[in-house]
Amino acid sequence: MKTRRFHIFFRFFSVFILLFSFSCSNPETKEYTIGFAQTGVNDEWRRAMNQSMKIQTSLYSNVELIILDGEDNIENQIQDIEELIAKDVDVLIVSPVKSQPITPIVEKAFNKGIPVLIVDRKTEGQNYTAYLGGDNYQVGVDAANYLASLSNERKKVVEIRGLSGSSPALERSMGFKNTIEKNDNLEIVKSIEGNWESYSIKDSLGKVLNEIEDIDYVFAHNDRMVLGAWEVAKEKNLHNKIGFVGVDGLPGENGGIKLVQDNVLLATILYPTGGDEAIRLAMKILNGESVPKNNLLETTVIDFRNADIMWNQFNKINQQQQDILKQQSTIDKQEETYSSQTNILKLLLGLLITSILLGAYSIYSGYNIKKQKRALELQNKKITIQRNQIKKIAEKVKISNEAKVNFFTGLSHEFKTPITLILSSVESLSDNKLIRDNKLVQEVGLIYNNSKRLLRLINQLLDFRKIEDRKFVLKASETNLFDFSNIVFKDFEREAQKRNISFSINCNNKNLKVYLDRNLMDKVYFNLLSNAFKFTPNNGSISIDIKDDFESNYVTIHFKDSGIGIPNQEINNVFKAFYQGTNNNKSSSGIGLHLSKEFIDLHKGTIEVFSKHGAEFVLTLYKGNAHLSSDEIIYLPDVVDSAVLSFNVDYEEDIFNQDAVLNDDERYSILIIEDNPDLVKYLKGKLTQEYSVHVSNGSNGVEMALGLIPDIIICDVNLPDKTGFEICDILKKDLRTSHIPTIILTALNDKESYIKGLESGADLYLTKPFSFAILSQSIKTLIYNREKLRYYFVNNVHNMDVSSNFGTIEQEFISKVNKIINDNIDNAKFSVENLASHLNVSRIQLYRKMKAIMDVNVSDYIQNIRLEKAKNMLQDTTLTISEIAYATGFSSPNYFSTSFKNKFNKSPKAFRE
């Protein structure tokens, strides 16, 4: 009932406010916008036109005038008209800079339905509403007739025309010439082109005055140009011999009337601005009245006879216009005051009525509030009692739970001691020769691996407690991600073999290094792989795929299996503590995935799960260490070495463990380009023990060299496609392979062939039959010399520049790399891809080239140059650390400080101090 009354009152109050607001509103008045695209405002005549427009517009309170200055530039005026069209003005007024270029945009506005009023200068065609301006043809006629009336003798006249292409210049010149032709006593001896400004005719007129003598009159198409002509004549002391006539007839100190009064001009032809008439015409168009297509303004000649009269008339008109503006301003203020006072009165009335209504309602509500308050007090007492009871129960549960957890944690710690002893004993047994030579190695391996698994589970329980108490501190170190993953991978290989599960690991960048806590990430890997093997049936498949996204700062690790998968409705719950899926009938603690997510979060990464034909977990980690604080980074050897035994051999094998053979990435590579299969087989058999050997029969030797970028090339001369000399020459001239030592191995032992081989760039020329011992030692020597050269490059890298003459392609390459990096030193987005693009090589070829020459990662090399530059700037400049960070291409000062400290073991601030 009370709610209903409140709603009734609220509706009544809303209706009242609505009616009151309506009563305060003013009756709607139609608003208009007139847009004016002015040629420019650099001269008095156009400023006078703008002023008269503004004064006339002020008489209409519902009209807004927008004047845009085209700065006497065609492109600017076209943009101004486009802007006015976009604003959807009600009337568009245009004074064209030139007729032809402005015509299309005027027609566009006209065709869009906007009334277009052309003033002063015409456009081509008739696609406009009306034209307003002086009769420019008549201006030329009046000027010619005036000069003809001054003398009956034949006189020489120089005409100074306005801007070429503008309609006033064309029409004034036409009227002037046609009239001159009808008068025998006048002759146009020269016509000069101007652009309406005085400076545009001074040089050309000066030449005319030097070339033609006894010039009697100068007629210019406006007063500014005729004043410039008078100034030129005065410089030559001819201003008293020549009569000057201009056009415009403006008042003011620099206007044509004043020039006539000062005897500078014989006369000026009045050319009205028509600004007020343009606004009147626009208002007629807006009011729907009919207007003529052409509206011409009258002109007259102003000379010594009427100059004073015209001066006084203009001054009087100007004074009247100023008075009108003042009166209009006063009226506007009075209207504003009246409107404000009316609104205040209505507002006060509304507030009075509202206060009465609210007062009545507050009295009514006060009684109800008292009743509700008493009821709430009783209810609050009951809630307080219940809350206190719940709090006591919660305290008891907390104490009980804490005791259980402490007991559980203590017990877990007790388990670790005997398991550690078991593992230590197994390691001792594994070193016993009798055990290693016996099948007991299988049982020893089984004991060891299961003891290690039990230890992992106990550590997992302890880790859960640490995570819950937020006691973990990340200890990340730079780690080769593939090597790290491969060690964990090997721990599960025996299980995969036993159950015939296809188990693989793949990586698109085996040299990628990331910052991770090896202990925590080992547990993440173990949890994910344990789950994969737990839920994948025999003969299934499990894979680890490491994908380095070269275009971003992330790397993703995919753990995929062909097991039972996860129900779609439960995917969002898998990372919750103690959660077990409905399709999981195996025993599980339910905390492994929860811990994994917590560990990944500590690395600022993410873990996602997908389920389609099995389960797929995707880890996303940052590259670099900018996302970590300095407290979270430690320094450990990059080699991830497991101190535990590896029992991943087959049961049938008698050996316990064996030395691992170096994989191809750990050995120098050799490309043999030879078409003799027996020699290839011999060389490959001899060299495979120490090197990674690749073979080409000669048809694709260059392509293989460019693709592999080997450490050594052994090449025959007589090959089916290209000779060995040609191949060597191509490779030595190619930036990607110029650093590779090349051995020519051939049966040609004449002096000319030997010289040709050396000219092609070969590092060594051996003839058949050859001694393999010599070949083997030669390979080692070339590699050793290459390593010495690499050492030289590494230690002199920052001193190289393109102006230095080193004499080798490799040194030129390094100096070019340095120059490109230094040229882009302040570009934070400059990457390995950008560097490769500047060098016209692929990213992987650049990587192999830099690896072969300097044994460094390209991105690390770029960063080292940035840091060396920053170090010098800290020593030699007074720039702030932030300014130096941005000047050397670091995205943020924090990232710069972290990188600087990692390299020099001091923060930038400490280094500068």
Side-chain angles (χ1 to χ4, degrees), residues 62-102:
N62 62 330
V63 176
E64 178 189 6
L65 176 65
I66 302 174
I67 300 178
L68 299 180
D69 175 15
E71 299 177 348
D72 296 309
N73 182 279
I74 294 172
E75 294 298 326
N76 288 350
Q77 189 171 50
I78 290 174
Q79 292 179 4
D80 290 345
I81 297 174
E82 288 280 11
E83 181 180 341
L84 293 173
I85 293 173
K87 289 182 177 180
D88 199 20
V89 295
D90 297 290
V91 175
L92 175 63
I93 304 176
V94 180
S95 176
V97 177
K98 285 188 178 182
S99 301
Q100 192 275 334
I102 302 300

Side-chain angles (χ1 to χ4, degrees), residues 426-521:
V426 172
E427 289 182 10
S428 298
L429 288 173
S430 66
D431 293 332
N432 190 301
K433 190 175 186 302
L434 293 177
I435 297 295
R436 297 181 67 88
D437 294 339
N438 194 285
K439 291 292 184 178
L440 287 174
V441 67
Q442 301 167 8
E443 282 71 19
V444 171
L446 190 62
I447 294 171
Y448 181 83
N449 286 334
N450 280 278
S451 298
K452 188 169 65 172
R453 181 168 299 179
L454 183 57
L455 182 60
R456 285 180 181 270
L457 292 173
I458 291 174
N459 286 334
Q460 186 168 275
L461 295 176
L462 297 174
D463 290 342
F464 177 73
R465 178 66 188 278
K466 288 183 181 179
I467 283 291
E468 292 297 304
D469 293 340
R470 299 294 170 187
K471 292 183 179 179
F472 261 116
V473 177
L474 192 71
K475 296 179 181 179
S477 60
E478 190 177 34
T479 305
N480 183 297
L481 187 57
F482 175 75
D483 292 343
F484 174 85
S485 304
N486 196 41
I487 287 175
V488 182
F489 170 82
K490 292 181 181 298
D491 287 342
F492 287 86
E493 275 188 320
R494 183 173 179 277
E495 180 71 12
Q497 295 169 359
K498 179 180 177 181
R499 296 173 52 191
N500 196 29
I501 291 176
S502 174
F503 188 35
S504 62
I505 181 170
N506 302 291
C507 180
N508 66 342
N509 183 4
K510 294 184 178 180
N511 296 304
L512 174 65
K513 294 182 180 181
V514 297
Y515 278 81
L516 52 83
D517 187 316
R518 299 172 187 174
N519 178 43
L520 299 186
M521 196 57 66

Side-chain angles (χ1 to χ4, degrees), residues 386-619:
Q386 293 174 351
R387 184 190 62 188
N388 291 335
Q389 291 175 344
I390 293 172
K391 188 176 180 180
K392 290 179 181 179
I393 295 172
E395 286 293 334
K396 293 179 180 178
V397 171
K398 182 180 178 182
I399 293 171
S400 176
N401 184 61
E402 188 71 22
K404 293 177 181 177
V405 171
N406 288 335
F407 169 76
F408 181 68
T409 304
L411 191 61
S412 298
H413 278 288
E414 291 298 324
F415 279 139
K416 292 186 69 174
T417 301
I419 292 176
T420 302
L421 293 174
I422 293 172
L423 288 172
S424 299
S425 300
V426 172
E427 289 182 10
S428 298
L429 288 173
S430 66
D431 293 332
N432 190 301
K433 190 175 186 302
L434 293 177
I435 297 295
R436 297 181 67 88
D437 294 339
N438 194 285
K439 291 292 184 178
L440 287 174
V441 67
Q442 301 167 8
E443 282 71 19
V444 171
L446 190 62
I447 294 171
Y448 181 83
N449 286 334
N450 280 278
S451 298
K452 188 169 65 172
R453 181 168 299 179
L454 183 57
L455 182 60
R456 285 180 181 270
L457 292 173
I458 291 174
N459 286 334
Q460 186 168 275
L461 295 176
L462 297 174
D463 290 342
F464 177 73
R465 178 66 188 278
K466 288 183 181 179
I467 283 291
E468 292 297 304
D469 293 340
R470 299 294 170 187
K471 292 183 179 179
F472 261 116
V473 177
L474 192 71
K475 296 179 181 179
S477 60
E478 190 177 34
T479 305
N480 183 297
L481 187 57
F482 175 75
D483 292 343
F484 174 85
S485 304
N486 196 41
I487 287 175
V488 182
F489 170 82
K490 292 181 181 298
D491 287 342
F492 287 86
E493 275 188 320
R494 183 173 179 277
E495 180 71 12
Q497 295 169 359
K498 179 180 177 181
R499 296 173 52 191
N500 196 29
I501 291 176
S502 174
F503 188 35
S504 62
I505 181 170
N506 302 291
C507 180
N508 66 342
N509 183 4
K510 294 184 178 180
N511 296 304
L512 174 65
K513 294 182 180 181
V514 297
Y515 278 81
L516 52 83
D517 187 316
R518 299 172 187 174
N519 178 43
L520 299 186
M521 196 57 66
D522 177 77
K523 295 172 182 178
V524 173
Y525 272 64
F526 182 82
N527 277 323
L528 296 178
L529 289 174
S530 294
N531 284 344
F533 277 93
K534 183 187 297 182
F535 297 111
T536 299
N538 294 344
N539 304 312
S541 63
I542 299 172
S543 64
I544 304 173
D545 291 308
I546 303 171
K547 299 179 180 179
D548 181 9
D549 186 353
F550 299 106
E551 303 297 327
S552 72
N553 195 34
Y554 301 99
V555 59
T556 56
I557 310 165
H558 300 252
F559 295 83
K560 185 173 179 59
D561 64 63
S562 60
I564 61 176
I566 303 168
N568 289 332
Q569 65 274 17
E570 299 180 17
I571 282 183
N572 294 331
N573 300 323
V574 295
F575 297 114
K576 294 180 180 179
F578 309 116
Y579 177 78
Q580 296 190 21
T582 57
N583 62 341
N584 179 10
N585 57 2
K586 300 179 181 293
S587 60
S588 173
S589 64
I591 62 173
L593 291 178
H594 172 70
L595 286 174
S596 297
K597 185 179 187 308
E598 293 289 340
F599 292 158
I600 295 299
D601 289 344
L602 286 174
H603 285 80
K604 311 298 189 297
T606 60
I607 180 171
E608 300 173 281
V609 59
F610 305 94
S611 183
K612 185 177 181 182
H613 307 302
E616 180 179 9
F617 288 84
V618 181
L619 309 185

Side-chain angles (χ1 to χ4, degrees), residues 737-755:
T737 53
S738 60
H739 65 281
I740 303 174
T742 305
I743 299 174
I744 293 291
L745 198 62
T746 179
L748 303 174
N749 59 358
D750 57 286
K751 180 179 178 181
E752 289 75 14
S753 298
Y754 186 83
I755 294 175

Side-chain angles (χ1 to χ4, degrees), residues 55 315-331:
I55 293 173
N315 286 339
K316 187 173 183 180
I317 291 172
N318 185 57
Q319 184 61 43
Q320 289 175 344
Q321 288 178 339
Q322 296 299 323
D323 292 341
I324 290 172
L325 285 175
K326 291 179 181 179
Q327 292 172 359
Q328 183 65 38
S329 176
T330 302
I331 291 171

